[in-house]
Amino acid sequence: MLTSQPHNLPISEPRNRSLHLALIPLGIGLNMSLGTIVSMLKLPIYLDMIGTIVVTILSGLWAGVLTAALTQLIVSATINPIYYNFIPTAVAIAMFTHLAARKGAFQTMRGTILAGIGLGLVSGIVSAPIIVYVFGGVVATGRSVMTAYLLSAGERVLNAVLLTGAAAEPVDKTLQCILSVWCINSVPQSLLDRFKIGGGQAVQQAIWTPAQDISHKTSQSIHPVARGLATVIGIIGVYLADNVVVLVFVWLAIILPLCMTAGISRKHMRITGMVVLPLCLLLVALWGWIVGAPPDQMPGSNPEGGVQYALLISLRLAVVGGIFQLCFLSIPQAELLSTFWHWGIRRDNLIVAIGAFTIFPELKIRAEQITTARYARGLLPDRRLITRFRQLPYLLRPLLVWSLRAAIQRSELWDQKRLLDRVGHMRHAYEGSRLRDGAFIGISLIWLVINLVDI
Amino acid sequence: MSDVFSTLNKQQLTTIDGLNFSGRTYLLRLMTGLETDAEGRSPADDILQQGAAYIGPEIYNAISGLAPTVEEELNIHMTGSRYRKELEEINETLGLNELKQRNPVTLSGGEQAMLTLSCALGLSPGHMAIDSAFEQVSKENRKLLMDWIMRGTFSQTLFFLADNRLSEYSEIRETVSIPDHMGTPEKERQLPLASLKEDMELPLQIQDAVALKLDHLDFKYPQGPHVIRDFNLTLEPGRIYTLTGKNGAGKSTLAKLLCGVLKPDHGHIRLNQEIYDAWSNPGRQVGYHFQNPDLQLFSTQVEDEISAGPRAQQVEESQVKVRTEALMTAFGLSGIRAAHPLEMPFVIRKRIALAATLAMGCPWLILDEPTLGQDNTSVLAIKSMIEQMSARGFGIVVISHSQWFRSLLDAEEIKLGDG
C-alpha cells in the first residue's frame, strides 16, 4: 500500500514546482476522460473525481483544489452547464481527500473504504444546499425521483435532498476511492518516488535569459476583459430573471445568434438537446406531477406553478450554459494564452489554466488508444457489457501511469527549456474594435438593469 | 569520459554510434544538462548558460502541453529567437505551416517529430541533442534538416545526433563510436538484460494457415476522411508483406480494421473465403503490435504481460508457460521477468510489447515499426524471428520507415495511395 503521503508539498517549492504544475492539467484531463471511457464502454456508472483524488494524494491540497475547481468549470462549458454550481462540492472533496491522506487512510483497504464513505457524506452535505437553492431541490439524476417522492410525502426540501444524497453518494465515492488507490498502487515505485522527493534527480537547470520583452501580437476577436465582464454580468442577470417569457426571448434573440456567429451553435444545441431538454422534461414531471407545486407551496396545491417553476430553471440553465460556452468556447484556440493573460492570470496559474484547456483532446486520444490497444492484444474476447465492465480498471491503470510519466517528462522539458519563464514573460498586445467590446458590456448591463427593475 | 567531451565539443554536428545501452542516451542527456556525471557535475556548464534541448524517442512527450495549436507551440518557442527568419522558411518547407490550426497532440508521429525539432531550434540552444527522433521523420524531411544543420544555418548551436539508423543516412560523413557501456548510468547497467536470440526456436505453431482476404472493404471516420474505399486485397499465409504509404494514407486504419478494433462500413474480411467478423472477436485471428509500446503494456510484471495474451485466448496453461519462457529468452527479458514493464527504458518496453504480441499466436500479425529504437544486432534478430514465423505459415504485415529493415525482409510491398 502507499507509504507516507507527500502531504505538504507546496506548489511553490522550486524543485517541485513544474512537476506539480504539469500534473494538475493531467488530473483535470483524467477526471474528464474517465467519463469518456465510461461512456465509450457504455457503462452505467459515473467516475468524475478520480483525477482529483489522485492529484490530491500525490501533490497535496492546493493542487487538488485547483484540479477540482477547474474540472467543474471546464465541464460546464463543454459537457453539462450544471457542473459549475458544484465547484464547492468538488473543492470540499479535494480538502477531505487531503485530510484523509494525511491521516494515512489510503494505506489500508479499510481506511480507503471509510474515506470513501466520508467523502460521500461530505459531498452529499455540501451539495444539498446548492441543489436546494439553485435547482429547488432536484437535479437531473435518477436520485431526483426519490427526492421528489420524499417532497410529495411532506418532507422538507433540504431534508429530502440530504437524505437522498446520503443514500447515493457514499457508494459512488467509495468505488472511486478504491479505484484510485488500486491504480496508484500499480504505478511503478520509481515514478511515485519522483512525486515524493519532487523534481527528480539532479535536474540541471540551465540559466536561461529570456529575450527582453518578448511580445507577441494577436488581434483579439473581442477584448478579454470585455468578454469576462459581459459573462459575469450576464450570469448574474440570469439568476435575477424570474420571467419565463423574457428568458425565452433572450435565448432565442441573443444567445442563439451569438453562438451561430461564433461557430459553436452545434455545441450549444448539443448541451441544450442532450442535457437541458431531458432535464426540463424530468423537472416538469417532478414539479408539475409528483410534487404538484413549486418548492415554496403545499405539495399538490399548484401543479401549473410547478410546471412554470420547472421551465424557469431549465431556461436559466440553457441561457447560463450558452453564456459559458460563448465565454470559453468562442475564444479562438490561438488566443487562449493571451486571453488568460489579459484576465490577469499570471505565472503558475497561467500554466495550469492553459494546460487545463489544452489537455482534454490529448487524454481523449490516449484513452481511446488504450481501449484500442487492449482490444488489439485480444484481452477483451468479445464486446459484451459484462466484459467491458470488468475491463474498466485495467484501462484506468495505464492512463494514470501515462499521465504521471507525461507530467515528469513535461516538467523536465519545461525546466530544461525554461518554458515556464518564457510563457510568463510573453506580453500580449491587443488589437481589436473598442466599439464592439463596449457594445458587449453595454448589452449585458442593460440585461442586468432590466432584471433588477423587475424585482 | 572527459576524452569524449573534448571530441564532442568541437564540431557543429556530432553523430554518435553505439549499441543499445552503450550509454548514448546518457551522454546526450549529459550534454543537455538533464543528467550529471558520477561526481554530480555537469561537464558542459558553460554551454548550458545558453540553454539546451534534448529530443528523445518518446516524441509524444516532447510536446509542451502549453499550447492548444501548432501555431501557439511555435510562438512560445520562437518568439525572440535568433533563428526566427531561418525557421520561418524551414517550417514552410517541412509543411508545418499547413498544420498551424491543429492541436499538436493530434498530429501523427512524424509531424510531431518535425514540430518538436523546429520548436527546439526556436530556443536557439547552445547544445541540442536528437536521440532517435529522426527514426520517425520521413527521409526527405530528415535530409532537409540535416542539410540545414551541416550548412551551418544554426551557427550558435552544437548538435549531437544518436540514432540506430545512421548507416541509412547517406549525408552523414563521420561518426563517433562510443565503446560498449562507456557511460551507461548505474541503474541501467544493473539491469540483467540479455541480447536478443537470433536462432531461438519459438514454440509457436499454427493449426491451419489461412489466407486473409479483404472484400470490397470500405471505411470512413465519422466526420473524418474516407480512408479505405472499396479496398480489395488477398494476403497469402506464410508470407511477409510490408505496408507503405504516406502519413494519413490509412496504414493504421487498415490494421485496425483487420484486427477488429474498427468496424468496416461495407465489405467483409474473409479467412479462406469464409466471412470473418473481426469486430466481434477483436485480436483473435489478427494480432496488432502498436508503434507506441506504452499503450500496449498493462501488467505490473514483464512475465504477466507476455502471458496475458495467450491466457485471454484460453491457451492451455502449460503451453502459456512454454511460450512465455521462450519469448522472454528470445527477447533477452528473462532476467527482468518480475520487473514493472513501464519502469524499463523505451527500447525494452518496445521489446516487451513485441514479445507480448507474438505470444498471442494469432495466425496473422501486423507489426507497426517493430524495430523502433533497436540497434542493428537486435534488428537482425527480430528479422529472423519474423522469417521463422512466416516459414511456419504465419502471415505477417510489417509497417516500417526503415528502408534497411524493409530490404532485409523478403517481402511483398503493399502500397497505400490515394484510394
Side-chain angles (χ1 to χ4, degrees):
Chain A
M1 277 280 164
L2 287 170
T3 47
S4 67
Q5 300 306 323
H7 47 254
N8 41 21
L9 289 179
I11 247 180
S12 54
E13 198 181 316
R15 278 186 76 201
N16 290 339
R17 179 171 152 237
S18 51
L19 182 60
H20 295 291
L21 286 180
L23 185 63
I24 296 169
L26 287 158
I28 295 169
L30 271 178
N31 279 342
M32 291 174 69
S33 64
L34 292 190
T36 313
I37 293 194
V38 168
S39 69
M40 245 181 78
L41 295 175
K42 304 196 170 48
L43 300 176
I45 48 162
Y46 197 63
L47 306 167
D48 57 346
M49 284 289 167
I50 289 191
T52 305
I53 295 174
V54 169
V55 172
T56 312
I57 291 178
L58 291 180
S59 282
L61 180 62
W62 182 233
V65 167
L66 260 182
T67 309
L70 276 169
T71 304
Q72 304 299 98
L73 204 64
I74 294 173
V75 171
S76 295
T78 51
I79 302 170
N80 187 336
I82 288 179
Y83 273 74
Y84 77 97
N85 292 294
F86 295 101
I87 290 178
T89 313
V91 168
I93 285 176
M95 287 164 78
F96 187 85
T97 307
H98 178 66
L99 202 73
R102 284 189 72 155
K103 298 275 173 215
F106 297 113
Q107 290 174 37
T108 60
M109 190 55 162
R110 207 174 116 246
T112 306
I113 293 175
L114 283 177
I117 295 172
L119 264 185
L121 293 176
V122 167
S123 158
I125 290 168
V126 179
S127 304
I130 301 172
I131 298 177
V132 172
Y133 294 113
V134 181
F135 302 100
V138 181
V139 215
T141 56
R143 281 158 46 185
S144 304
V145 183
M146 184 174 159
T147 313
Y149 175 76
L150 287 172
L151 285 178
S152 67
E155 194 67 60
R156 284 176 49 211
V157 183
L158 189 59
N159 285 347
V161 175
L162 273 172
L163 277 174
T164 23
E169 288 279 351
V171 180
D172 178 51
K173 295 296 180 292
T174 305
L175 186 66
Q176 299 207 37
C177 278
I178 293 175
L179 270 175
S180 306
V181 171
W182 184 73
C183 286
I184 292 180
N185 284 334
S186 75
V187 170
Q189 191 57 42
S190 63
L191 272 186
L192 283 184
D193 286 345
R194 297 288 288 268
F195 285 87
K196 279 177 206 144
I197 55 173
Q201 68 283 58
V203 173
Q204 171 83 30
Q205 294 211 354
I207 302 165
W208 187 279
T209 25
Q212 290 303 303
D213 272 334
I214 299 177
S215 78
H216 176 56
K217 263 188 192 165
T218 37
S219 58
Q220 306 279 127
S221 34
I222 168 173
H223 195 287
V225 174
R227 183 190 285 278
L229 267 178
T231 302
V232 174
I233 300 173
I235 290 179
I236 297 174
V238 174
Y239 279 101
L240 293 174
D242 50 7
N243 189 326
V244 173
V245 182
V246 172
L247 278 170
V248 171
F249 175 77
V250 168
W251 186 59
L252 287 177
I254 299 179
I255 302 292
L256 271 185
L258 280 180
C259 283
M260 279 178 198
T261 326
I264 53 170
S265 52
R266 255 173 83 168
K267 283 178 182 153
H268 182 64
M269 288 322 285
R270 200 166 59 212
I271 66 160
T272 18
M274 309 266 288
V275 179
V276 181
L277 192 66
L279 174 74
C280 178
L281 295 176
L282 184 76
L283 288 177
V284 167
L286 292 177
W287 291 116
W289 180 46
I290 303 183
V291 183
D296 50 349
Q297 292 175 22
M298 275 289 289
S301 64
N302 183 3
E304 213 171 287
V307 171
Q308 221 169 47
Y309 180 74
L311 287 177
L312 181 71
I313 291 183
S314 315
L315 274 164
R316 272 186 193 158
L317 205 61
V319 175
V320 169
I323 295 179
F324 256 111
Q325 291 193 308
L326 281 169
C327 177
F328 291 110
L329 303 186
S330 73
I331 306 173
Q333 293 282 293
E335 290 173 20
L336 214 47
L337 195 61
S338 62
T339 304
F340 290 145
W341 190 84
H342 279 290
W343 278 347
I345 304 173
R346 298 286 152 84
R347 302 170 66 88
D348 291 4
N349 292 330
L350 181 64
I351 301 298
V352 171
I354 189 81
F357 271 83
T358 312
I359 199 75
F360 186 56
E362 185 170 6
L363 264 163
K364 198 175 160 196
I365 291 174
R366 214 53 71 187
E368 281 170 10
Q369 283 173 334
I370 290 169
T371 321
T372 308
R374 223 162 150 81
Y375 276 122
R377 282 271 310 268
L379 299 177
L380 284 82
D382 53 55
R383 288 176 185 270
R384 287 182 309 158
L385 182 73
I386 180 77
T387 317
R388 284 179 278 154
F389 193 78
R390 292 216 316 252
Q391 284 296 319
L392 182 73
Y394 298 97
L395 298 177
L396 296 185
R397 288 206 315 202
L399 202 59
L400 178 66
V401 173
W402 175 81
S403 298
L404 298 186
R405 185 185 290 277
I408 290 172
Q409 296 202 347
R410 202 156 272 178
S411 65
E412 211 174 70
L413 180 91
W414 291 352
D415 284 344
Q416 187 196 37
K417 294 179 164 182
R418 292 259 152 169
L419 279 188
L420 300 189
D421 290 346
R422 275 184 90 75
V423 173
H425 274 86
M426 266 165 90
R427 295 176 176 285
H428 302 270
Y430 170 69
E431 290 172 346
S433 151
R434 303 269 167 201
L435 193 70
R436 194 173 44 196
D437 296 343
F440 272 105
I441 299 178
I443 293 173
S444 59
L445 277 173
I446 294 170
W447 162 238
L448 184 69
V449 171
I450 291 174
N451 287 306
L452 279 173
V453 172
D454 208 47
I455 282 172
Chain B
M1 202 55 145
S2 54
D3 301 345
V4 182
F5 281 122
S6 53
T7 350
L8 290 183
N9 273 324
K10 282 176 203 154
Q11 298 166 339
Q12 172 92 66
L13 169 69
T14 311
T15 46
I16 300 157
D17 204 2
L19 297 176
N20 288 143
F21 303 108
S22 58
R24 286 179 314 185
T25 296
Y26 175 63
L27 192 62
L28 294 190
R29 286 172 65 89
L30 202 60
M31 294 311 287
T32 48
L34 287 176
E35 306 267 359
T36 51
D37 66 9
E39 281 92 51
R41 287 171 310 176
S42 173
D45 244 347
D46 48 331
I47 300 287
L48 293 178
Q49 304 285 327
Q50 249 195 75
Y54 167 85
I55 301 165
E58 293 157 86
I59 292 287
Y60 39 89
N61 284 338
I63 304 283
S64 77
L66 295 172
T69 57
V70 169
E71 186 172 15
E72 275 294 292
E73 181 86 352
L74 287 168
N75 275 335
I76 289 175
H77 290 81
M78 277 169 58
T79 314
S81 169
R82 286 200 191 99
Y83 302 141
R84 186 158 191 126
K85 255 193 207 142
E86 292 85 350
L87 282 173
E88 268 163 14
E89 188 194 329
I90 288 171
N91 291 342
E92 182 63 45
T93 322
L94 291 180
L96 283 173
N97 284 350
E98 286 160 36
L99 307 170
K100 274 194 165 169
Q101 295 310 312
R102 297 265 302 276
N103 187 318
V105 299
T106 61
L107 302 179
S108 75
E111 289 165 339
Q112 283 183 347
M114 252 116 62
L115 176 63
T116 45
L117 284 165
S118 175
C119 284
L121 284 169
L123 296 170
S124 25
H127 279 183
M128 178 161 159
I130 305 169
D131 186 0
S132 305
F134 274 152
E135 289 180 23
Q136 295 176 50
V137 176
S138 75
K139 193 176 149 195
E140 296 74 27
N141 286 338
R142 189 201 67 234
K143 275 196 164 158
L144 277 172
L145 274 169
M146 292 287 268
D147 190 43
W148 272 308
I149 292 173
M150 300 211 298
R151 261 191 306 180
T153 313
F154 312 105
S155 55
Q156 308 284 325
T157 308
L158 296 181
F159 291 86
F160 303 92
L161 170 68
D163 213 301
N164 295 298
R165 299 178 183 171
L166 289 179
S167 53
E168 291 181 41
Y169 304 167
S170 52
E171 60 273 26
I172 292 174
R173 282 174 224 116
E174 52 175 331
T175 59
V176 179
S177 286
I178 53 174
D180 216 14
H181 294 292
M182 180 222 47
T184 319
E186 203 58 36
K187 58 178 189 219
E188 280 183 10
R189 210 176 305 161
Q190 284 165 357
L191 281 180
L193 288 164
S195 43
L196 278 74
K197 298 264 179 309
E198 203 172 319
D199 46 3
M200 175 92 190
E201 191 83 356
L202 296 176
L204 293 161
Q205 295 299 339
I206 196 160
Q207 302 292 326
D208 315 290
V210 282
L212 197 59
K213 197 176 169 206
L214 314 185
D215 193 0
H216 298 282
L217 215 60
D218 221 58
F219 181 81
K220 183 184 179 304
Y221 284 101
Q223 290 145 28
H226 201 134
V227 197
I228 307 285
R229 197 192 294 267
D230 197 23
F231 195 72
N232 293 298
L233 184 70
T234 306
L235 299 170
E236 297 296 341
R239 305 270 316 256
I240 305 172
Y241 296 89
T242 54
L243 191 56
T244 57
K246 281 188 195 143
N247 290 327
K251 297 190 294 275
S252 57
T253 309
L254 188 62
K256 283 175 187 169
L257 284 167
L258 290 177
C259 136
V261 174
L262 295 175
K263 193 177 188 173
D265 297 332
H266 300 286
H268 299 288
I269 299 165
R270 289 173 192 273
L271 290 176
N272 285 345
Q273 301 308 320
E274 255 173 75
I275 291 180
Y276 164 63
D277 179 8
W279 168 255
S280 304
N281 308 279
R284 294 276 116 161
Q285 299 290 331
V286 182
Y288 179 21
H289 167 73
F290 281 28
Q291 179 171 345
N292 176 357
D294 297 2
L295 298 169
Q296 271 190 311
L297 300 174
F298 304 98
S299 306
T300 50
Q301 291 194 352
V302 172
E303 190 173 1
D304 295 344
E305 192 69 68
I306 297 172
S307 54
R311 252 185 216 132
Q313 311 259 27
Q314 273 136 22
V315 173
E316 229 175 277
E317 193 54 33
S318 59
Q319 177 62 21
V320 172
K321 287 235 160 65
V322 174
R323 269 192 211 177
T324 310
E325 284 305 321
L327 280 159
M328 281 196 300
T329 315
F331 282 88
L333 305 171
S334 302
I336 52 163
R337 62 175 67 229
H340 199 303
L342 291 172
E343 247 176 323
M344 298 294 110
F346 181 83
V347 191
I348 300 303
R349 299 205 295 277
K350 189 75 189 164
R351 288 183 198 167
I352 298 168
L354 185 57
T357 311
L358 296 187
M360 288 158 67
C362 298
W364 278 92
L365 286 170
I366 301 169
L367 310 176
D368 195 347
E369 290 288 351
T371 60
L372 203 64
Q374 311 296 323
D375 56 33
N376 293 356
T377 349
S378 313
V379 171
L380 288 171
I382 291 170
K383 170 224 157 206
S384 72
M385 280 185 227
I386 291 177
E387 281 175 345
Q388 190 192 128
M389 291 186 71
S390 85
R392 292 188 192 168
F394 288 94
I396 290 159
V397 181
V398 173
I399 304 171
S400 176
H401 275 125
S402 167
Q403 222 171 355
W404 179 62
F405 181 57
R406 290 206 309 267
S407 71
L408 284 177
L409 299 167
D410 177 24
E412 187 177 319
E413 186 177 348
I414 307 165
K415 211 168 196 165
L416 286 185
D418 318 310

